[in-house]
PDB file of all heavy atoms in Angstrom:
ATOM      1  N   PHE A  35      -9.950  28.999   2.814  1.00 98.00           N
ATOM      2  CA  PHE A  35      -9.499  28.977   1.417  1.00 98.00           C
ATOM      3  C   PHE A  35      -8.427  27.915   1.188  1.00 98.00           C
ATOM      4  O   PHE A  35      -8.380  27.268   0.142  1.00 98.00           O
ATOM      5  CB  PHE A  35      -8.996  30.359   0.970  1.00 98.00           C
ATOM      6  CG  PHE A  35      -8.975  30.475  -0.522  1.00 98.00           C
ATOM      7  CD1 PHE A  35     -10.103  30.888  -1.225  1.00 98.00           C
ATOM      8  CD2 PHE A  35      -7.849  30.110  -1.240  1.00 98.00           C
ATOM      9  CE1 PHE A  35     -10.098  30.937  -2.611  1.00 98.00           C
ATOM     10  CE2 PHE A  35      -7.829  30.164  -2.626  1.00 98.00           C
ATOM     11  CZ  PHE A  35      -8.959  30.584  -3.308  1.00 98.00           C
ATOM     12  N   HIS A  38     -10.082  24.638   0.782  1.00 97.00           N
ATOM     13  CA  HIS A  38     -10.640  24.549  -0.567  1.00 97.00           C
ATOM     14  C   HIS A  38      -9.562  24.126  -1.568  1.00 97.00           C
ATOM     15  O   HIS A  38      -9.805  23.284  -2.448  1.00 97.00           O
ATOM     16  CB  HIS A  38     -11.230  25.920  -0.916  1.00 97.00           C
ATOM     17  CG  HIS A  38     -11.890  26.028  -2.247  1.00 97.00           C
ATOM     18  ND1 HIS A  38     -12.707  25.054  -2.779  1.00 97.00           N
ATOM     19  CD2 HIS A  38     -11.875  27.027  -3.169  1.00 97.00           C
ATOM     20  CE1 HIS A  38     -13.150  25.446  -3.957  1.00 97.00           C
ATOM     21  NE2 HIS A  38     -12.654  26.631  -4.225  1.00 97.00           N
ATOM     22  N   MET A  39      -8.354  24.642  -1.442  1.00 98.00           N
ATOM     23  CA  MET A  39      -7.276  24.324  -2.382  1.00 98.00           C
ATOM     24  C   MET A  39      -6.755  22.900  -2.172  1.00 98.00           C
ATOM     25  O   MET A  39      -6.497  22.177  -3.145  1.00 98.00           O
ATOM     26  CB  MET A  39      -6.130  25.333  -2.239  1.00 98.00           C
ATOM     27  CG  MET A  39      -6.457  26.730  -2.715  1.00 98.00           C
ATOM     28  SD  MET A  39      -6.956  26.825  -4.464  1.00 98.00           S
ATOM     29  CE  MET A  39      -8.724  27.013  -4.284  1.00 98.00           C
ATOM     30  N   GLN A  42      -9.165  20.534  -3.612  1.00 98.00           N
ATOM     31  CA  GLN A  42      -9.018  20.470  -5.077  1.00 98.00           C
ATOM     32  C   GLN A  42      -7.843  19.576  -5.452  1.00 98.00           C
ATOM     33  O   GLN A  42      -7.907  18.803  -6.421  1.00 98.00           O
ATOM     34  CB  GLN A  42      -8.785  21.870  -5.665  1.00 98.00           C
ATOM     35  CG  GLN A  42      -9.924  22.846  -5.465  1.00 98.00           C
ATOM     36  CD  GLN A  42     -11.134  22.526  -6.303  1.00 98.00           C
ATOM     37  OE1 GLN A  42     -11.120  21.605  -7.119  1.00 98.00           O
ATOM     38  NE2 GLN A  42     -12.191  23.277  -6.099  1.00 98.00           N
ATOM     39  N   MET A  98      -9.173  27.781 -16.419  1.00 98.00           N
ATOM     40  CA  MET A  98     -10.363  28.044 -15.598  1.00 98.00           C
ATOM     41  C   MET A  98     -10.947  29.363 -16.081  1.00 98.00           C
ATOM     42  O   MET A  98     -10.390  30.435 -15.837  1.00 98.00           O
ATOM     43  CB  MET A  98     -10.007  28.110 -14.119  1.00 98.00           C
ATOM     44  CG  MET A  98     -11.262  28.173 -13.251  1.00 98.00           C
ATOM     45  SD  MET A  98     -10.951  27.712 -11.547  1.00 98.00           S
ATOM     46  CE  MET A  98     -12.599  27.862 -10.884  1.00 98.00           C
ATOM     47  N   HIS A 160      -9.170  34.219  -7.808  1.00 98.00           N
ATOM     48  CA  HIS A 160      -9.663  32.888  -7.410  1.00 98.00           C
ATOM     49  C   HIS A 160      -9.408  31.879  -8.538  1.00 98.00           C
ATOM     50  O   HIS A 160      -8.922  30.769  -8.295  1.00 98.00           O
ATOM     51  CB  HIS A 160     -11.152  32.994  -7.067  1.00 98.00           C
ATOM     52  CG  HIS A 160     -11.741  31.783  -6.399  1.00 98.00           C
ATOM     53  ND1 HIS A 160     -12.368  31.838  -5.179  1.00 98.00           N
ATOM     54  CD2 HIS A 160     -11.817  30.493  -6.786  1.00 98.00           C
ATOM     55  CE1 HIS A 160     -12.797  30.615  -4.854  1.00 98.00           C
ATOM     56  NE2 HIS A 160     -12.482  29.790  -5.820  1.00 98.00           N
ATOM     57  N   HIS A 161      -9.674  32.274  -9.768  1.00 98.00           N
ATOM     58  CA  HIS A 161      -9.427  31.375 -10.903  1.00 98.00           C
ATOM     59  C   HIS A 161      -7.938  31.086 -11.051  1.00 98.00           C
ATOM     60  O   HIS A 161      -7.539  29.965 -11.373  1.00 98.00           O
ATOM     61  CB  HIS A 161      -9.948  32.000 -12.205  1.00 98.00           C
ATOM     62  CG  HIS A 161     -11.431  32.163 -12.242  1.00 98.00           C
ATOM     63  ND1 HIS A 161     -12.056  32.959 -13.174  1.00 98.00           N
ATOM     64  CD2 HIS A 161     -12.412  31.634 -11.465  1.00 98.00           C
ATOM     65  CE1 HIS A 161     -13.367  32.908 -12.977  1.00 98.00           C
ATOM     66  NE2 HIS A 161     -13.609  32.131 -11.943  1.00 98.00           N
ATOM     67  N   ILE A 163      -5.442  30.982  -8.781  1.00 98.00           N
ATOM     68  CA  ILE A 163      -4.845  30.017  -7.839  1.00 98.00           C
ATOM     69  C   ILE A 163      -5.527  28.660  -7.942  1.00 98.00           C
ATOM     70  O   ILE A 163      -4.883  27.618  -7.809  1.00 98.00           O
ATOM     71  CB  ILE A 163      -4.825  30.570  -6.390  1.00 98.00           C
ATOM     72  CG1 ILE A 163      -3.901  29.723  -5.519  1.00 98.00           C
ATOM     73  CG2 ILE A 163      -6.217  30.674  -5.803  1.00 98.00           C
ATOM     74  CD1 ILE A 163      -2.474  29.594  -6.001  1.00 98.00           C
ATOM     75  N   GLU A 164      -6.824  28.661  -8.210  1.00 98.00           N
ATOM     76  CA  GLU A 164      -7.500  27.368  -8.351  1.00 98.00           C
ATOM     77  C   GLU A 164      -7.010  26.630  -9.601  1.00 98.00           C
ATOM     78  O   GLU A 164      -6.800  25.421  -9.577  1.00 98.00           O
ATOM     79  CB  GLU A 164      -9.017  27.549  -8.376  1.00 98.00           C
ATOM     80  CG  GLU A 164      -9.751  26.228  -8.291  1.00 98.00           C
ATOM     81  CD  GLU A 164     -11.200  26.375  -7.850  1.00 98.00           C
ATOM     82  OE1 GLU A 164     -11.517  27.339  -7.115  1.00 98.00           O
ATOM     83  OE2 GLU A 164     -11.995  25.532  -8.240  1.00 98.00           O
ATOM     84  N   LYS A 168      -5.230  22.945  -9.431  1.00 98.00           N
ATOM     85  CA  LYS A 168      -5.768  21.828 -10.210  1.00 98.00           C
ATOM     86  C   LYS A 168      -4.741  21.309 -11.215  1.00 98.00           C
ATOM     87  O   LYS A 168      -4.654  20.103 -11.465  1.00 98.00           O
ATOM     88  CB  LYS A 168      -7.045  22.258 -10.933  1.00 98.00           C
ATOM     89  CG  LYS A 168      -8.242  22.405 -10.009  1.00 98.00           C
ATOM     90  CD  LYS A 168      -9.433  22.987 -10.785  1.00 98.00           C
ATOM     91  CE  LYS A 168     -10.712  22.922  -9.968  1.00 98.00           C
ATOM     92  NZ  LYS A 168     -11.817  23.639 -10.658  1.00 98.00           N
TER      93      LYS A 168
HETATM   94 MN1   MN B   1     -13.173  27.742  -6.155  1.00 61.94          MN
END
Side-chain angles (χ1 to χ4, degrees):
F35 199 87
H38 182 41
M39 291 301 103
Q42 297 289 356
M98 189 161 181
H160 191 123
H161 294 165
I163 194 57
E164 189 161 332
K168 287 174 170 173

